Amino acid sequence: MNMLSLLISALSQGMIYAPMALGVFIAFRILNTPDLTIDGSFVVGMCVCAVVTISGHPYLALLCGLLAGALAGLCTGLLQTKLQINPILSGILTMTGLYTINFVILGGQSNLYLQRTVINSAGAETQVASDTLYKSFRNLLITLSGNRRFDSNLSILILTSLIVLVLAVLLAVFFFTRPGIAIRATGDNEEMVRSSSINADRTRIEGIMLSNALVAFSGALLCEQQRYADLNFGSGMLVVGLASVIIGQVFFGRHSVTLGIISAIAGSLIYRVILQVAYKIDMPSYAVKLLSALIVVIALSIPLIRRALSQRRQETEEEK
Amino acid sequence: MSQLVLKNLRKTFEKGTPNAKVALDRLNLTVNDGDFITVLGSNGAGKSTLFNAILGKFRLDGGKIILDDEDITQMKDYRRALNIGCLYQNPLLGTAPNMTIEENLALAYTRKARRSFFAVNRRDSEYFRALLSELNLGLEDRMKTRMGLLSGGQRQAASLLMATIAEPKLLLLDEHTAALDPATAENVLHLTRTIIEKRHLTCLMITHQMQSALQMGNRTIIMDSGRVVLDLTGEERDNMTVPELLQLFQKNVGRDMASDRMLLDLQT
């Protein structure tokens, strides 16, 4: 594979994971609350999407995946507000419970391929690949371009970019509407939200639902792209999302919601490019999680290191 | 007609433990429409607890709170906030630092604003600008500035605006100038008076400054051990001096009121 197609492959993955990064951004930056539901809601999005896609509704599948994530978020939100369970524990509880639910959704198995068994004219059983969003779009592109061969990653990148663009615009607009600023204020100063006669429990739950819906949507997109759902796919997803958000911040800053949305998406793209480079220099695939964790640790320590450096510089200047 | 009636309010914190503390002890108080009451009392007398009870921050052990003929004893805190504005000592509590001045005001105004898609819109912005310019702090030209970049005094002034923007029936001020430097405190206090007069607000204000407690408003109450022990109005209050007040307190309660902090305030 040449460099360009490697880049396109990395970017297409980055775009697929971008809604997940947006979800993490909403949880960690806007609501200011760590939410570990994310590992579970990514998989629930995948599983629900897989089942609905196999039944022949690839578009409805994305919506169902998204709603399943919102439900997972609702569960965590209720634990946090109504039962006043610590946010981190609330997330862990939902995530743990979701494992069983995901197992059931997949029909009692740990993974599911997007295909159906049909009996052909000769009476033998054969596997037929289910229609997916990406398959239809690629066929459309091929028809439009007059039957030219078309890089499948490029078609994935184009379609996902369009989806993410729409999503980003909708989100950016939403955060300036009344319900939107109420969610932002809940993360910034919950007491003030109550003083303004707004039910902060409700806005918090809405925020968590929105965040997990986006994460699950990402899982659904990935499911349609890679054509299978896997029960264990979600572990470490939160760290990946956090890495994306933090990387994005390094480039775009964090002082407005709109910039935050852009930087989460950009961060997701850059993160995948970093991974692609690491693979290129023969990093084994099992090293991905360690690398993700390291990226987060390094990115989080940058402000501290910077402060220490500037302090030392000041001290040496004073000595002079 | 916004009358606040407090009947037999009772609250004991950490009930049934050795640390049990009676914070409100069958407290009774009727606040008349348009009253501006200053609330005095030593530390631990139950002043802030009284405010938190009115705001619905905890469940009472007993008693009734009636605002404007409506029993709000069981009402959730955020629902009460529709008609009750509040300002705390800490200027950081009243505002959201990562949102702009305009967005903060828009959020506070949500409870009374007309429906609109965007929280910040031209119609409301004009109103906010007019309100901000009354503060004389130049904030009307910085409406897109993040709240976190303002000074404590500016944030407290903005909080004051937010607490009163929805024209509450009752305004509660919990030592809202105590954390500010003297000049800024004076300025915020002046703004408070102006806003209260202009909007004819009914107001309770906790303070440690005995002198200004007697000067501001039309009524002064003094709390001790979770009760109202002195209630001064009219001529009696007009003729009262700080030493006389201390004497009266000693006569009624049987010991000195002045806490260290009050003595400090007396000297200044």
Side-chain angles (χ1 to χ4, degrees), chain A:
Chain A
M1 270 211 277
N2 61 31
M3 290 309 277
L4 183 65
S5 62
L6 276 178
L7 183 67
I8 290 174
S9 153
L11 292 179
S12 69
Q13 287 297 300
M15 275 297 175
I16 287 176
Y17 285 100
M20 198 265 297
L22 286 173
V24 172
F25 167 72
I26 292 174
F28 280 74
R29 289 287 178 253
I30 292 193
L31 287 176
N32 244 325
T33 315
D35 181 9
L36 273 70
T37 321
I38 284 159
D39 282 11
S41 50
F42 190 85
V43 183
V44 85
M46 255 186 153
C47 296
V48 169
C49 175
V51 173
V52 180
T53 305
I54 291 171
S55 76
H57 305 284
Y59 299 94
L60 188 64
L62 289 178
L63 182 67
C64 290
L66 181 129
L67 291 177
L71 270 181
L74 174 65
C75 184
T76 304
L78 289 173
L79 292 179
Q80 267 188 37
T81 55
K82 300 298 170 203
L83 298 183
Q84 300 192 349
I85 296 173
N86 167 299
I88 292 180
L89 185 58
S90 299
I92 293 175
L93 290 172
T94 309
M95 178 189 74
T96 308
L98 272 180
Y99 190 87
T100 307
I101 291 171
N102 291 335
F103 188 74
V104 172
I105 294 173
L106 289 188
Q109 52 198 20
S110 63
N111 54 44
L112 186 63
Y113 286 82
L114 300 190
Q115 59 192 16
R116 268 175 310 138
T117 309
V118 291
I119 296 169
N120 64 11
S121 52
E125 284 190 359
T126 52
Q127 304 294 331
V128 178
S130 309
D131 282 335
T132 66
L133 192 66
Y134 289 106
K135 195 168 149 191
S136 325
F137 186 71
R138 188 160 180 236
N139 289 338
L140 178 75
L141 280 184
I142 289 172
T143 320
L144 286 179
S145 61
N147 285 329
R148 274 219 319 261
R149 273 182 51 82
F150 215 92
D151 181 358
S152 81
N153 279 331
L154 184 60
S155 97
I156 292 168
L157 178 60
I158 294 172
L159 178 59
T160 321
S161 302
L162 289 175
I163 295 173
V164 170
L165 181 71
V166 172
L167 219 53
V169 171
L170 285 179
L171 265 187
V173 170
F174 172 73
F175 279 121
F176 290 95
T177 63
R178 286 204 187 276
I181 68 161
I183 289 177
R184 281 165 55 204
T186 306
D188 215 10
N189 185 346
E190 191 166 332
E191 201 45 53
M192 175 191 107
V193 174
R194 288 181 207 283
S195 309
S196 301
S197 201
I198 295 168
N199 186 348
D201 284 355
R202 206 173 111 185
T203 52
R204 175 166 291 279
I205 293 173
E206 285 167 359
I208 298 172
M209 286 176 73
L210 178 64
S211 148
N212 282 287
L214 286 167
V215 173
F217 184 72
S218 200
L221 283 177
L222 183 66
C223 167
E224 294 218 17
Q225 186 261 314
Q226 67 180 18
R227 314 187 59 82
Y228 72 89
D230 188 320
L231 213 50
N232 296 310
F233 214 89
S235 79
M237 206 44 79
L238 174 67
V239 178
V240 172
L242 209 49
S244 307
V245 169
I246 293 171
I247 292 171
Q249 268 172 19
V250 173
F251 291 91
F252 290 90
R254 55 186 291 187
H255 274 327
S256 87
V257 216
T258 315
L259 270 185
I261 290 170
I262 296 170
S263 69
I265 296 169
S268 178
L269 297 176
I270 297 166
Y271 173 80
R272 291 293 152 181
V273 172
I274 294 174
L275 283 198
Q276 192 70 274
V277 170
Y279 284 135
K280 191 71 186 163
I281 51 177
D282 283 342
M283 181 187 77
S285 60
Y286 58 76
V288 174
K289 295 211 167 145
L290 181 60
L291 180 67
S292 315
L294 279 178
I295 289 175
V296 173
V297 172
I298 292 169
L300 286 179
S301 59
I302 284 175
L304 209 67
I305 295 168
R306 225 182 252 161
R307 211 177 312 147
L309 281 179
S310 73
Q311 205 162 8
R312 185 169 301 172
R313 205 174 306 136
Q314 250 172 4
E315 279 166 14
T316 49
E317 272 170 23
E318 276 167 20
E319 277 169 26
K320 283 174 193 169

Side-chain angles (χ1 to χ4, degrees), chain B residues 5 13 16 31 37 59 67 89 97 109 117-118 120 126 134 143 152 185-186 192 205-206 220 224 236 266:
Chain B
V5 182
F13 287 115
V31 180
I37 302 178
R59 290 183 75 91
L67 179 64
Q89 181 174 343
Y109 194 50
F117 183 72
F118 286 106
V120 171
E126 289 301 317
E134 284 173 26
M143 288 184 24
E186 191 49 51
T192 311
M205 181 174 96
I206 297 177
T220 298
D224 185 69
E236 186 189 12
L266 272 179

Side-chain angles (χ1 to χ4, degrees), chain B residues 98-123:
Chain B
N98 289 312
M99 291 166 64
T100 64
I101 296 179
E102 199 171 36
E103 286 171 340
N104 269 276
L105 290 173
L107 187 88
Y109 194 50
T110 298
R111 56 198 136 168
K112 292 284 165 76
R114 277 195 281 161
R115 281 178 168 276
S116 68
F117 183 72
F118 286 106
V120 171
N121 55 62
R122 199 176 299 161
R123 185 189 63 220

